[in-house]
Amino acid sequence: MQLVFVQFMTGLASAASLFLVASGLSIIFGVTRIVNFAHGAFYMLGAYVAYTLTERFAGAYGFWLSLLAAAAVVAVLGALLEMTLLRRIYHAPELFQLLATFGVTLMVEDLVLVIWGPEDLVGPRAPGFAGAVEMFGKRIPSYDLFLIVLGPLVLAALWVLFHRTRWGVLVRAATHDRAMVAALGINQKWLFTGVFALGVFLAALGGALQIPRDAVNHSMDLRIIVEAFVVVVIGGLGSTTGAFVAAIIVSQLNAFGILVFPKISLVLVFVVMAIVLVVRPWGLFGKMPPPAQAAVGATVRPWRPLGRTELTIAAACVLVVALQPLWLSDYALTVGSELLIFTLFAASLHLLMTVGGLASFGHAAYFGLGSYGAAFAVKAAGLPMLLAICAGPVLAAVGAAIVGWFAVSLTGVYFAMLTLAFSQIVWSIAFQWVSVTGGDNGILGIWPAPFASTPAAFFWVTLAFVVPALAFLQMVIFSPFGYALRATRDSELRAEAIGIDRKRIQWVAFVMAGAAAGLGGALFAFLKGSVFPDVMGIPTSVDGLVMVLLGGIETVLGPIVGALVFKALSIWLMSQTDYSKLVLGAAIVFIVLAFPKGIVGTLGDWRARFEAGRAARRAAASAPAPSDAVIKEAQP
């Protein structure tokens, strides 16, 4: 019982910082609709800045003021980010802001290494809370008790702010209906800036409060952002009370999971999140989201299949790519094979995001299942390479069929987080089922057949699989099924009124996308010669999202361009500089500002405006000149 009590108190203390981060994330998303991937970076910055200030200013006043000052400094940086970057792209598709905040996260990760170095930093103890209090025969750190009391106090302060102040009422109103707030004449720009600064302040304060408990390190951003998303979804978007209760639930699961469920402790919170979303899709304290204000398709130029000239150009491009092994080096061909594989991965996710309107945060699960399917086919069944490659998408399709059956019941960020939960569950199985998957040691010796053992031959094999798969995905987009899928994306009610079964259509698309990703994963297994659980981790899913968004979610060819640009740039930067994340993040932010609809989407807008201007000039030039009689009649 003493051990249970200690774990319980530790979980409550951890819940305080997690609540601060999650409440800030919930507030930001509720008002601005920004999926702020950089929220974890602000948490990490708060910890680093607090460490620096507490080292400089000693004493009780110096320590506590340093924590508040660190949170305030980071909040100012967040406000500047919102005004200079995010405010410029509010008119862009909502998920496009995810790309901008992802670029900021990459930049912050390398900036932290440049400024503070790669070593873990241990902060000072909190003055006045350096000892422990004996409770039930066990000594509980006084600082943990301070955090346990602080959590409810912050919750009460947020309740007063949002229910007893005019600004808070406006924030709650904007959470429910931004259009109505704008119609009332409220300056939404400054409202958004204030909300973003408040959310960042809470995240940075949560990081600053952690320095007496944990070492400050440059990997703490990814860990906290995933848990914060889980808390927000379980509690309900826009609900600070829900964030508080969910933070306690998640922290207690982390505290007791290793004792009670050691085999599933890594994904216990994701299992709980999946159960909550299946039973109550909008979270414990959340409310059913209002219907979308505008259909996605209303802002998109009508798509059309490639014409004869465009098909000829595409065939010529494929021919040029197929001739690359004649003069490229082995290293360049290996990189080229990887680019082709991730092009297919991005195109499979594009089918869900753009055509189906479903943003998956766990698409790497099917890429990884494809890799493991090929590995099992080689190691367990002894199948040759080509049959093993075909086994990969089969296993991925089975996994996608199971996950998709539950996921398509949800929409928006809830759909995204449920896919993330299932992805983490699959990753945990691969990581902990050592007897089958090899665990962290992976499965080795997945080598290509002799006819594909050279980089040039494997490049041709990859091209032979990827090109037909891409062509099939393009055919699906412009097939009757593709039009039905877009109809469910644009208006669920209208689609169902004409007899389209939304869930069935989206489930079939989910399975197709999973199978295509699995084919890419199978090829990736033979390219690397091994399979590890990291292939289905969160970073791979984020890379897929970035590729699609970078190319443009309102385009047909966007994922191909986005995958080529992102992967080529990231691979090249890793070989050229030690600060590849900083440069890559800056490049992503630049592309976001220069191409607010993605590379292909913005180029398409430029082309449409150019053609419209040229047509107007031709019409003006071909219009007949007015006759002299008409001119005289028009004169007074």
Side-chain angles (χ1 to χ4, degrees):
M1 289 300 296
Q2 290 178 333
L3 178 60
V4 170
F5 177 72
V6 170
Q7 290 296 102
F8 177 74
M9 298 299 286
T10 302
L12 287 181
S14 300
S17 293
L18 184 55
F19 163 64
L20 289 173
V21 180
S23 61
L25 183 65
S26 180
I27 292 168
I28 290 175
F29 181 84
V31 176
T32 66
R33 298 298 188 270
I34 293 177
V35 183
N36 185 19
F37 199 84
H39 208 65
F42 292 127
Y43 167 85
M44 180 174 64
L45 274 179
Y48 273 104
V49 175
Y51 170 83
T52 300
L53 293 179
T54 53
E55 288 292 308
R56 181 178 295 272
F57 302 103
Y61 288 107
F63 177 85
W64 296 110
L65 289 178
S66 294
L67 299 190
L68 294 175
V73 169
V74 178
V76 171
L77 294 177
L80 292 175
L81 174 69
E82 192 276 339
M83 290 187 290
T84 57
L85 174 60
L86 299 179
R87 186 179 291 182
R88 297 173 181 267
I89 56 174
Y90 276 136
H91 62 280
E94 289 180 356
L95 273 179
F96 202 71
Q97 289 109 22
L98 171 67
L99 180 58
T101 56
F102 174 73
V104 172
T105 300
L106 293 178
M107 296 173 65
V108 171
E109 288 180 354
D110 266 4
L111 287 173
V112 165
L113 290 176
V114 172
I115 298 173
W116 286 281
E119 296 83 9
D120 291 359
L121 304 177
V122 180
R125 291 182 176 273
F129 297 93
V133 177
E134 186 170 341
M135 301 177 68
F136 298 99
K138 288 292 183 178
R139 294 178 62 82
I140 307 298
S142 354
Y143 190 72
D144 283 5
L145 297 177
F146 164 75
L147 292 178
I148 293 173
V149 175
L150 179 65
L153 291 179
V154 173
L155 175 63
L158 290 176
W159 187 91
V160 171
L161 176 65
F162 291 130
H163 291 81
R164 292 294 183 265
T165 66
R166 182 178 181 272
W167 184 83
V169 171
L170 291 177
V171 169
R172 288 195 297 122
T175 301
H176 294 288
D177 194 336
R178 289 188 294 174
M180 182 60 68
V181 172
L184 294 174
I186 304 300
N187 189 333
Q188 290 199 61
K189 290 183 178 180
W190 292 112
L191 184 64
F192 286 7
T193 302
V195 167
F196 198 86
L198 174 62
V200 171
F201 177 85
L202 293 172
L205 182 60
L209 289 170
Q210 284 298 103
I211 63 172
R213 301 184 76 230
D214 299 322
V216 183
N217 59 81
H218 56 86
S219 62
M220 59 194 302
D221 58 337
L222 181 60
R223 174 178 57 84
I224 196 65
I225 190 61
V226 173
E227 288 190 349
F229 273 122
V230 171
V231 168
V232 168
V233 171
I234 292 178
L237 288 171
S239 172
T240 52
T241 303
F244 180 77
V245 174
I248 294 177
I249 294 174
V250 170
S251 297
Q252 294 300 337
L253 288 173
N254 289 333
F256 285 100
I258 193 64
L259 299 177
V260 183
F261 305 104
K263 293 294 184 181
I264 61 172
S265 59
L266 293 176
V267 291
L268 189 57
V269 295
F270 293 99
V271 173
V272 173
M273 182 177 72
I275 294 174
V276 170
L277 287 177
V278 171
V279 176
R280 187 175 172 83
W282 46 88
L284 297 177
F285 291 83
K287 297 180 180 179
M288 182 181 295
Q293 299 296 322
V296 175
T299 61
V300 182
R301 290 188 306 274
W303 291 349
R304 59 179 179 82
L306 299 179
R308 180 174 300 179
T309 302
E310 293 164 325
L311 287 175
T312 303
I313 295 174
C317 291
V318 172
L319 179 61
V320 171
V321 172
L323 295 176
Q324 297 304 304
L326 300 180
W327 54 76
L328 289 182
S329 65
D330 289 348
Y331 172 75
L333 290 174
T334 302
V335 172
S337 297
E338 186 170 347
L339 292 178
L340 289 173
I341 290 170
F342 278 94
T343 298
L344 178 58
F345 176 58
S348 66
L349 181 57
H350 169 269
L351 178 66
L352 285 180
M353 288 184 63
T354 298
V355 186
L358 301 171
S360 172
F361 282 9
H363 203 58
Y366 317 109
F367 188 80
L369 285 174
S371 295
Y372 276 101
F376 294 153
V378 171
K379 291 295 185 178
L383 296 180
M385 173 185 167
L386 296 181
L387 289 179
I389 291 176
C390 295
V394 173
L395 181 59
V398 171
I402 297 173
V403 174
W405 182 263
F406 299 96
V408 297
S409 299
L410 309 178
T411 58
V413 71
Y414 298 105
F415 170 87
M417 294 307 297
L418 185 59
T419 58
L420 174 63
F422 280 117
S423 175
Q424 286 300 99
I425 293 171
V426 174
W427 170 84
S428 175
I429 294 173
F431 186 81
Q432 295 186 307
W433 199 1
V434 179
S435 60
V436 175
T437 64
D440 198 28
N441 295 322
I443 302 177
L444 308 178
I446 315 299
W447 302 115
F451 70 87
S453 58
T454 64
F458 189 83
F459 180 86
W460 280 320
V461 170
T462 302
L463 188 68
F465 276 99
V466 170
V467 170
L470 292 176
F472 172 76
L473 292 176
Q474 294 295 308
M475 290 174 58
V476 168
I477 292 176
F478 296 106
S479 67
F481 173 83
Y483 285 108
L485 184 60
R486 275 185 272 170
T488 63
R489 174 202 67 186
D490 293 344
S491 177
E492 177 183 347
L493 294 178
R494 293 179 181 179
E496 291 181 349
I498 60 175
I500 297 177
D501 187 341
R502 179 189 71 84
K503 291 184 179 180
R504 183 181 65 84
I505 291 291
Q506 291 183 343
W507 178 76
V508 173
F510 200 96
V511 175
M512 286 184 180
L519 176 58
L523 292 169
F524 190 74
F526 283 99
L527 174 67
K528 298 299 182 180
S530 58
V531 181
F532 295 94
D534 290 347
V535 74
M536 59 179 66
I538 293 176
T540 305
S541 294
V542 173
D543 286 350
L545 286 168
V546 171
M547 293 173 199
V548 175
L549 295 171
L550 198 62
I553 63 172
E554 297 181 353
T555 63
V556 177
L557 300 179
I560 299 176
V561 175
L564 294 177
V565 171
F566 177 76
K567 290 300 294 185
L569 188 59
S570 58
I571 293 173
W572 180 76
L573 286 174
M574 289 181 63
S575 64
Q576 297 296 318
T577 176
D578 293 333
Y579 305 110
S580 58
K581 290 183 179 180
L582 176 61
V583 181
L584 180 61
I588 290 175
V589 170
F590 171 77
I591 292 174
V592 166
L593 294 176
F595 302 92
K597 289 187 178 180
I599 297 174
V600 177
T602 303
L603 292 178
D605 283 351
W606 291 352
R607 177 184 176 184
R609 286 197 295 267
F610 174 77
E611 291 180 349
R614 185 170 61 178
R617 289 191 295 270
R618 286 179 177 176
S622 60
S627 62
D628 293 340
V630 174
I631 294 176
K632 290 181 179 179
E633 185 178 350
Q635 291 177 350

